Amino acid sequence: MSVLTDDLKRKIEAYFPRYPSKQAVALPALHLVHDAMRCVPLAALREIADMLEISPAELHDTMSFYGFFKDEQHPLGKTRLWVCRSLACQLRGAEDVLNHFCEKLEVQPGETTKDGAITLEFAECIGACEGAPCVLLKDEAMLDITTEKADRLIEELRKKYD
C-alpha cells in the first residue's frame, strides 16, 4: 500500500519539468511530504526515491543533511516554533526567551510537547535582526519577544489546540 497520496505524487511530478533531472526534485519532494505528513516516513522516502529514480540511501542523505526534516520517530507538532540564536538575538536576550519556552512548554529544543501541539526548535538566524530577539512561528517572524510576549504566545497556541 502506498504511503503517498495520489495528490502528493502529482505535486511531486509537477516539479519534474522545472528541473534538469528527476534527482534535482529531491528537496521540493521532501518539503511537500514533510509539510503534508509533519515528517518523512521511511516508506514515503522509498516511494519518493522510486519516483526520482535514485536510491533511498541517496534521498536519506539529502534529508538528513538538513536539520529541519523530521523522521517518523520524531514528527513535528501541529505548530513549529523556532527561537533565533543569532548574535543580534543573543545580545538582546534570546537565550532567556528560549529557556523560558523550554520551561513553560516542558520540552528541550528539538522536542514536541506531550500533547503534540508545539515543536520547539532554535535557528541560527531567521533574518529579522531588527526585531531581536525574534521567533518564527509557522513561517511568520515575531519580533521583540520578551518572556511576557512568550507567555501570551503560548497561551494563544494552547487555546488553539485545546
Side-chain angles (χ1 to χ4, degrees):
M1 185 168 98
S2 181
V3 173
L4 300 179
T5 64
D6 290 339
D7 184 51
L8 269 175
K9 289 178 187 177
R10 279 191 296 276
K11 287 178 180 178
I12 293 169
E13 290 168 348
Y15 278 93
F16 291 170
R18 298 181 186 179
Y19 290 88
S21 69
K22 287 182 178 181
Q23 181 181 5
V25 179
L27 279 176
L30 288 168
H31 278 291
L32 286 168
V33 171
H34 194 262
D35 289 347
M37 303 175 89
R38 307 306 288 158
C39 66
V40 181
L42 185 57
L45 194 77
R46 289 184 187 117
E47 289 182 45
I48 298 166
D50 283 346
M51 292 177 72
L52 303 182
E53 299 174 358
I54 60 176
S55 73
E58 287 177 278
L59 187 60
H60 185 269
D61 285 348
T62 301
M63 182 179 122
S64 63
F65 179 80
Y66 297 96
F68 48 81
F69 292 118
K70 301 293 186 180
D71 61 26
E72 59 199 319
Q73 282 79 39
H74 306 95
L76 285 176
K78 295 172 187 160
T79 297
R80 192 174 214 175
L81 176 63
W82 299 84
V83 178
C84 186
R85 294 192 341 174
S86 70
L87 180 59
C89 286
Q90 286 295 319
L91 291 172
R92 296 195 62 202
E95 197 65 32
D96 292 337
V97 170
L98 179 61
N99 290 336
H100 188 74
F101 276 121
C102 289
E103 181 182 322
K104 293 291 184 174
L105 296 172
E106 300 177 355
V107 295
Q108 292 301 308
E111 295 178 347
T112 301
T113 55
K114 290 177 182 137
D115 61 1
I118 303 165
T119 299
L120 178 66
E121 297 184 288
F122 63 82
E124 293 307 324
C125 183
I126 61 171
C129 300
E130 72 281 2
C134 56
V135 300
L136 191 65
L137 179 66
K138 290 193 171 193
D139 298 329
E140 181 182 338
M142 304 181 85
L143 310 178
D144 301 310
I145 298 298
T146 61
T147 54
E148 293 79 20
K149 285 183 179 180
D151 286 340
R152 287 194 299 273
L153 180 61
I154 291 168
E155 187 177 315
E156 289 172 23
L157 290 171
R158 286 196 169 136
K159 283 181 186 175
K160 182 177 182 177
Y161 296 117
D162 280 344

